[in-house]
Amino acid sequence: MTSSTLFDLAFFLAAPFWALLILAPGWRWTDRIAASPLPMVPVIAVYLALAVPVFPQLWAAVSSPDLAGFQELLRLGGGAGAIWAQVIAWDLFLGQWMYREARALGIHPLVMGPLLVLTVLLSPIGVLLFIGIRAGVRLRAHRRPDLRQAGAPRAEEDRQLSIP
């Protein structure tokens, strides 16, 4: 397979899982899939297929990072593709985490759908907005004990479940 084909494949392998998280949030299989690391495995396989041939340049770019080194890596088809596949796998990991946290906190799917779409496209912005919403929901739940009974985790559960 060419670097271009693998580049495209990275997204197409992740897209069905994103579709489940966004379009079928109440389906029990979505919950099971979101709890598994397996959706990332095919994308990571694409990453490896792209990264292995350019490993010396990739290693140079990540072990002693500077802008020129990354620019050189990105000029290589496999280098750009490897970085892309890594981003796709990481975004999927973040999306699964956001989905599970939202379900645990009772954040409505109509709020999460657009946030997950934003995370697919511009993950730092989507994650930052989610962290803000998550903090607001948790604060509100701690101030209103009646919300805790509606599915929001207690403080002890928060510490066990979460990324700060």
Side-chain angles (χ1 to χ4, degrees), residues 5-31:
T5 301
L6 289 169
F7 179 93
D8 293 338
L9 187 59
F11 179 77
F12 290 121
L13 288 170
F17 300 109
W18 279 107
L20 283 175
L21 299 177
I22 295 165
L23 301 174
W27 192 38
R28 69 183 171 106
W29 281 99
T30 303
D31 289 338

Side-chain angles (χ1 to χ4, degrees), residues 74-92:
L74 293 176
R75 283 196 242 311
L76 305 171
I83 298 299
W84 176 247
Q86 180 176 333
V87 167
I88 295 296
W90 179 248
D91 286 354
L92 186 55

Side-chain angles (χ1 to χ4, degrees), residues 2-161:
T2 67
S3 293
S4 178
T5 301
L6 289 169
F7 179 93
D8 293 338
L9 187 59
F11 179 77
F12 290 121
L13 288 170
F17 300 109
W18 279 107
L20 283 175
L21 299 177
I22 295 165
L23 301 174
W27 192 38
R28 69 183 171 106
W29 281 99
T30 303
D31 289 338
R32 288 181 180 179
I33 290 167
S36 171
L38 294 179
M40 291 176 285
V41 171
V43 181
I44 293 169
V46 169
Y47 165 80
L48 291 171
L50 288 161
V52 168
V54 297
F55 189 76
Q57 297 90 340
L58 178 62
W59 181 255
V62 299
S63 64
S64 182
D66 69 347
L67 183 57
F70 271 94
Q71 288 172 330
E72 187 61 35
L73 176 64
L74 293 176
R75 283 196 242 311
L76 305 171
I83 298 299
W84 176 247
Q86 180 176 333
V87 167
I88 295 296
W90 179 248
D91 286 354
L92 186 55
F93 175 77
L94 288 170
Q96 288 177 270
W97 170 74
M98 290 168 57
Y99 170 88
R100 290 190 320 272
E101 283 285 298
R103 299 281 290 168
L105 293 169
I107 299 172
H108 199 279
L110 290 177
V111 172
M112 285 310 299
L115 271 176
L116 289 169
V117 170
L118 186 58
T119 302
V120 170
L121 302 174
L122 298 167
S123 60
I125 297 170
V127 171
L128 186 61
L129 287 172
F130 176 72
I131 289 170
I133 290 169
R134 176 179 171 256
V137 168
R138 290 168 82 183
L139 181 63
R140 184 171 167 229
H142 288 299
R143 289 186 178 164
R144 294 198 43 209
D146 59 310
L147 291 178
R148 286 190 197 150
Q149 295 169 349
R154 295 182 310 272
E156 309 86 56
E157 292 170 338
D158 286 350
R159 285 190 291 277
Q160 293 173 1
L161 280 179

